[in-house]
Amino acid sequence: AAALAPTIRGLASHDRPQLGHFTDSEAVLDFLSREKLQPLAALGTSCPDHFLRTKVKPLVLDLPASASVEESIARLKELHERYRADYRAYYDAHATEDSPAIRGADPAIVLVPGVGMFSFGKDKQTARVAGEFYVNAINVMRGAEALSTYAPISDEEKFRIEYWALEEAKLRRMPKPRTHATRVALVTGAASGIGKAVATRLAA
């Protein structure tokens, strides 16, 4: 996870800088080990809030858990380009003249078999909550498949929820990020004196 995290964060930050959160809970790793991982994840999530927090579907690494870091990074870069193209096509297929502008085409959830789930957002809390939402989606899929078949709503309906005018208004009411939000700063000599003061100021 540590070796993959910088690359995955970079992919998730193509449109705007994002902070990440990592989860390797039992529920997540079990879902990632299942034969139906790919088809289920491709169907998308099940709750209106999920579409805003996690996007309609995650990016899933389609390599076995035994894949090397180098193999995984190379494949993730390929899948990221495909994900962005698919999301743009999803937006273009359903957007109308009144639809809000596209909110970026990068994944908010990245699933890596044998490793865990990376979730992203504008700050640490948003990234963590996105991961929690996708764990809920996992539980819905597992429960539905245990009883019958998981069958979410159509892409058209997903788009109408994700880009609903009221949801857009809610997003616009949120405070704007501070100037250094999502940025990484490295301060040397920060144990005392000027370096410590700079680190404290940046953290604020």
Side-chain angles (χ1 to χ4, degrees):
L4 293 172
T7 294
I8 295 178
R9 184 191 178 215
L11 297 178
S13 300
H14 186 276
D15 290 318
R16 62 182 62 87
Q18 300 284 291
L19 290 186
H21 181 77
F22 175 70
T23 306
D24 60 352
S25 65
E26 182 177 349
V28 169
L29 290 178
D30 178 72
F31 181 67
L32 298 185
S33 70
R34 296 292 178 169
E35 183 180 358
K36 296 186 71 173
L37 166 63
Q38 292 286 346
L40 281 176
L43 291 175
T45 50
S46 56
C47 169
D49 277 340
H50 289 194
F51 300 134
L52 291 177
R53 299 278 189 172
T54 71
K55 278 196 161 62
V56 290
K57 62 182 180 180
L59 186 158
V60 185
L61 179 60
D62 56 359
L63 295 180
S66 58
S68 69
V69 170
E70 293 74 20
E71 291 171 328
S72 297
I73 287 176
R75 184 58 177 157
L76 282 165
K77 290 179 179 179
E78 294 173 355
L79 292 172
H80 178 246
E81 291 300 318
R82 184 188 303 175
Y83 185 98
R84 287 179 57 81
D86 288 348
Y87 189 84
R88 168 60 73 175
Y90 156 78
Y91 178 88
D92 290 343
H94 303 295
T96 66
E97 293 181 357
D98 299 328
S99 297
I102 191 171
R103 300 192 193 104
D106 294 320
I109 303 293
V110 178
L111 304 177
V112 182
V115 178
M117 172 179 64
F118 298 83
S119 55
F120 296 92
K122 65 176 184 175
D123 52 38
K124 184 65 175 175
Q125 179 182 358
T126 305
R128 176 183 56 79
V129 170
E132 292 175 356
F133 270 63
Y134 199 77
V135 170
N136 289 337
I138 288 173
N139 290 331
V140 169
M141 286 183 269
R142 292 175 64 188
E145 287 290 314
L147 295 171
S148 179
T149 303
Y150 176 67
I153 59 178
S154 68
D155 282 354
E156 182 180 8
E157 287 298 316
K158 291 172 186 174
F159 182 88
R160 289 176 60 187
I161 294 172
E162 185 178 2
Y163 286 91
W164 188 25
L166 290 179
E167 294 287 7
E168 182 69 13
K170 182 168 65 176
L171 291 174
R172 289 182 178 179
R173 286 199 304 269
M174 299 177 69
K176 292 184 178 181
R178 302 184 72 177
T179 57
H180 289 48
T182 72
R183 303 297 181 180
V184 176
L186 176 63
V187 183
T188 61
S192 63
I194 294 175
K196 183 177 181 180
V198 170
T200 302
R201 182 68 179 273
L202 285 170

